Amino acid sequence: MAGQSFLSESMLGWSIFTFILMVILTFCWFYIRKFQSRQESEVVSTITAICALAIALITSALLPVDIFLVSFMKFPNGTYKDWAANNETRGHIEDTVLYGYYTLYSIILFCVFLWIPFVYFYYEERDDDNMNKCSQVKNALKYTVGFAIVCVVLLLIGAFIPLEPPPGQNSTQWEKVQYLFEELGSSHGLPALSFSISSLTLIGMLAVITYTAYGMSVLPLNLIKGTRSVVYERLENTEDIDDVEHQIEKLKSKCEDGRPLSSRDRANLQELEGKLQVLRRRGRHLDIAERNCCTKVGSALRPLKITLGIFFILVALLFTVALFISNLDKALHSAGISSGFIIFGTNITNPLNELLLVLQPVFPLDYILITVITMYFVVTSMAGIRNMGIWFFWIRLYKIRPKKTRPQALLFLCMILLLIVLHTSYMIYSLAPQYVMYGSQKYLVQMPSAGPASGNSTTRICDADAPEDQCTVTRSYLFLHKFWFFSTIYYFGNWAFIGAFLIGLAVSCCRGKKSVIEGEVEADDSDFSDDEYVH
């Protein structure tokens, strides 16, 4: 009976995960196809982008499953369910989740260090018309080897960093080497993988500070403000075309008598002709937008968009407040930098953590909320990348535009999202530390009695004071806090995230409404002509 209950509870958690997996794959296909350039689309790059984006979203979906499984081991009264009463059974469930993290994190390492770099450099070499397929593959492999070496170095560093005190000074060299290999074997390679993932998470932290923080402000405000009137934009564009044509005619009139134009006038004429070309392209796009059914439907859904925008900005403010309180709690009650600012539980009331705990009795509201939080970070990250484009410091590398994004840009987009998802787990832990560690688990506490009879028992929410055999820690928490120095960097990264969000919010508030064809036509396009979009 207990075995059947165990299977049903476990199957429920993984069935939810399977359903989410199917939804994710469908979303990834539509998302990549929406932004993919029609002229430059290739099967290999499309499959790579879809798979990489799916892996990023699937990894983010594993955290709610992790919390769900450890929570469902217990009844609300703090006792273990029949199928989870055995330590061996609980260990089996924990190992299942752990292997899920192993698999997905290993796939992420493979994508970031091998698969995506190879496909990216393969298409970069394609720009050379004189190069055959074999040379393309050879050059792509040559560049990819460098990424593979970095991955191996990170794995080796993580594998042999001792997490326990090493042997004493009197030990022989062989005993010290033997100790390192015993450490590696006893941990099943967890430190090696954790160190590599944590190193990538540092890069993901920078992407979160850059893209997610901006996306959390720009997405809701764009929904609230809406777009400019397409009729007004067409009228304004027509006036600009007439003005530029008049200036061009004025310059050309200078050479009607056969005199050549000065170098300054020729430069001005060339600039005006380029501007006129862009304006005419804008006119074509505005004509299509005015006739497009989506534009008319979007206008009809304005009340819904405003409501969603207000909801998203309130959620963003809630996250920011919760993150600030969590960081303040760590600053006041942790052991400081040397401990990675780690705290067990909450000492200051955290609104998001309390909300999750309040929703626990009504299954499955708390799991729905933690899933929504996870996906919110992913969606706002996509919005941030979509609005900013892909930058390397002050150099803009690629633009993310509907039906016009190059294969290399899509690969960059997916790699950035992979890195962002890695840091998202720590962000969610910062927002609701106690819930991410223990979920909705409770444990029994014996209360002392004044009389000779034994004391009564009461239930408490699992925290660091709970007996080790009464509360199960999520596997995600173990991955996040394997190395204290990474936790310290993440802590300061949270402060930077709060600052970046506030700056992005101020910038987004000062900006006017977006054009109805925002990003479709730009004067400094480095992509191919956007005529494909029109046709």
Side-chain angles (χ1 to χ4, degrees):
M1 189 70 179
Q4 291 179 350
S5 179
F6 161 67
L7 287 175
S8 62
E9 300 284 8
S10 181
M11 284 297 294
L12 177 60
W14 288 109
S15 298
I16 295 172
F17 183 75
T18 304
F19 172 75
I20 294 174
L21 172 63
M22 299 305 297
V23 174
I24 285 172
L25 289 174
T26 304
F27 169 79
C28 291
W29 188 86
F30 280 106
Y31 186 83
I32 296 299
R33 294 294 294 174
K34 174 185 177 182
F35 288 97
Q36 186 180 49
S37 172
R38 293 179 180 177
Q39 287 186 348
E40 295 185 89
S41 62
E42 294 287 344
V43 176
V44 176
S45 65
T46 302
I47 293 175
T48 301
I50 291 173
C51 291
L53 182 58
I55 290 165
L57 298 178
I58 291 168
T59 304
S60 66
L62 189 57
L63 176 61
V65 175
D66 188 5
I67 297 172
F68 173 84
L69 290 177
V70 297
S71 299
F72 252 59
M73 293 180 185
K74 285 195 161 190
F75 289 110
N77 62 6
T79 59
Y80 281 108
K81 296 181 179 179
D82 294 337
W83 56 268
N86 191 335
N87 286 334
E88 185 177 344
T89 304
R90 294 200 301 272
H92 174 72
I93 297 174
E94 295 167 19
D95 288 342
T96 302
V97 178
L98 184 63
Y99 294 147
Y101 278 110
Y102 269 139
T103 303
L104 289 173
Y105 284 160
S106 298
I107 293 174
I108 288 176
L109 287 179
F110 173 74
C111 289
V112 172
F113 287 109
L114 293 174
W115 189 8
I116 294 179
F118 173 77
V119 177
Y120 176 83
F121 288 118
Y122 177 81
Y123 282 99
E124 282 293 301
E125 294 297 324
R126 249 188 57 177
D127 293 340
D128 191 347
D129 298 331
N130 298 324
M131 190 170 292
N132 55 37
K133 294 286 185 181
C134 292
S135 299
Q136 284 180 241
V137 173
K138 188 186 299 182
N139 288 337
L141 285 173
K142 180 176 64 177
Y143 294 122
T144 307
V145 167
F147 284 84
I149 292 173
V150 173
C151 181
V152 171
V153 169
L154 291 176
L155 288 171
L156 290 176
I157 292 174
F160 293 107
I161 287 182
L163 300 178
E164 300 292 339
Q169 296 294 331
N170 297 329
S171 303
T172 63
Q173 290 297 323
W174 168 247
E175 288 175 339
K176 294 178 180 179
V177 173
Q178 188 179 21
Y179 161 77
L180 290 176
F181 279 98
E182 287 175 354
E183 279 286 302
L184 176 62
S186 63
S187 59
H188 307 290
L190 178 61
L193 183 60
S194 181
F195 185 87
S196 302
I197 291 298
S198 297
S199 301
L200 291 180
T201 304
L202 290 182
I203 306 174
M205 181 187 73
L206 299 176
V208 165
I209 294 171
T210 304
Y211 294 111
T212 310
Y214 180 65
M216 283 175 60
S217 63
V218 72
L219 176 63
L221 289 178
N222 282 345
L223 287 172
I224 293 171
K225 290 188 290 188
T227 57
R228 300 172 63 191
S229 168
V230 64
V231 176
Y232 177 78
E233 282 200 74
R234 280 192 63 197
L235 179 62
E236 187 180 62
N237 191 77
T238 302
E239 292 176 352
D240 290 340
I241 289 176
D242 293 339
D243 183 57
V244 171
E245 286 178 342
H246 176 72
Q247 293 182 51
I248 290 174
E249 290 175 2
K250 186 176 179 180
L251 282 175
K252 287 183 176 180
S253 64
K254 292 183 178 181
C255 59
E256 286 181 353
D257 56 356
R259 292 182 302 172
L261 291 173
S262 64
S263 58
R264 181 178 179 181
D265 287 338
R266 285 198 302 270
N268 289 337
L269 180 61
Q270 187 175 3
E271 182 181 347
L272 288 170
E273 287 175 343
K275 185 177 180 180
L276 180 62
Q277 184 180 6
V278 172
L279 289 171
R280 285 173 175 169
R281 287 162 58 196
R282 279 184 58 84
R284 294 198 299 270
H285 280 258
L286 289 169
D287 288 339
I288 292 175
E290 189 175 16
R291 298 193 303 268
N292 198 337
C293 294
C294 293
T295 305
K296 298 175 182 177
V297 173
S299 300
L301 295 177
R302 277 293 297 145
L304 178 61
K305 289 183 177 181
I306 293 174
T307 304
L308 281 175
I310 294 173
F311 172 74
F312 284 151
I313 197 65
L314 291 176
V315 170
L317 293 174
L318 173 63
F319 286 177
T320 306
V321 170
L323 192 61
F324 174 80
I325 292 174
S326 178
N327 264 23
L328 183 62
D329 195 1
K330 292 177 182 179
L332 296 176
H333 300 102
S334 71
I337 293 179
S338 59
S339 67
F341 292 97
I342 296 174
I343 55 174
F344 302 97
T346 55
N347 301 287
I348 303 177
T349 302
N350 187 316
L352 193 57
N353 195 82
E354 293 299 318
L355 178 59
L356 286 165
L357 295 177
V358 167
L359 294 177
Q360 286 176 6
V362 188
F363 174 83
L365 290 184
D366 53 336
Y367 306 110
I368 292 174
L369 179 58
I370 199 70
T371 303
V372 169
I373 291 171
T374 304
M375 298 311 299
Y376 178 82
F377 277 115
V378 176
V379 170
T380 52
S381 300
M382 289 178 170
I385 299 173
R386 165 74 177 85
N387 282 272
M388 292 181 63
I390 298 172
W391 293 73
F392 182 74
F393 292 103
W394 60 87
I395 302 173
R396 189 175 191 176
L397 299 179
Y398 298 104
K399 301 168 186 174
I400 308 299
R401 294 157 50 181
K403 301 180 184 179
K404 298 189 62 203
T405 307
R406 302 184 68 181
Q408 295 94 321
L410 287 175
L411 294 173
F412 253 109
L413 166 68
C414 295
M415 181 179 285
I416 291 172
L417 285 174
L418 281 171
L419 299 175
I420 285 175
V421 163
L422 292 177
H423 189 67
T424 298
S425 296
Y426 183 82
M427 290 286 293
I428 296 175
Y429 165 75
S430 299
L431 292 170
Q434 187 174 351
Y435 185 82
V436 172
M437 282 181 67
Y438 299 106
S440 59
Q441 295 178 86
K442 296 180 180 179
Y443 69 101
L444 292 173
V445 179
Q446 296 295 328
M447 302 298 292
S449 177
S454 58
N456 297 323
S457 61
T458 184
T459 59
R460 288 183 182 175
I461 297 173
C462 283
D463 53 21
D465 297 328
E468 188 175 348
D469 61 340
Q470 290 296 312
C471 294
T472 305
V473 179
T474 58
R475 302 300 94 183
S476 173
Y477 177 80
L478 297 181
F479 267 98
L480 290 173
H481 298 94
K482 202 68 179 177
F483 301 95
W484 65 267
F485 44 86
F486 284 120
S487 298
T488 301
I489 299 173
Y490 300 154
Y491 167 79
F492 290 109
N494 283 346
W495 287 116
F497 176 85
I498 294 173
F501 168 74
L502 295 176
I503 293 172
L505 185 63
V507 171
S508 300
C509 288
C510 294
R511 285 186 172 178
K513 291 183 178 181
K514 290 174 55 178
S515 169
V516 72
I517 56 168
E518 181 75 21
E520 293 178 14
V521 180
E522 296 182 17
D524 60 342
D525 264 342
S526 59
D527 295 343
F528 290 107
S529 171
D530 60 350
D531 289 341
E532 56 169 313
Y533 187 88
V534 175
H535 298 301

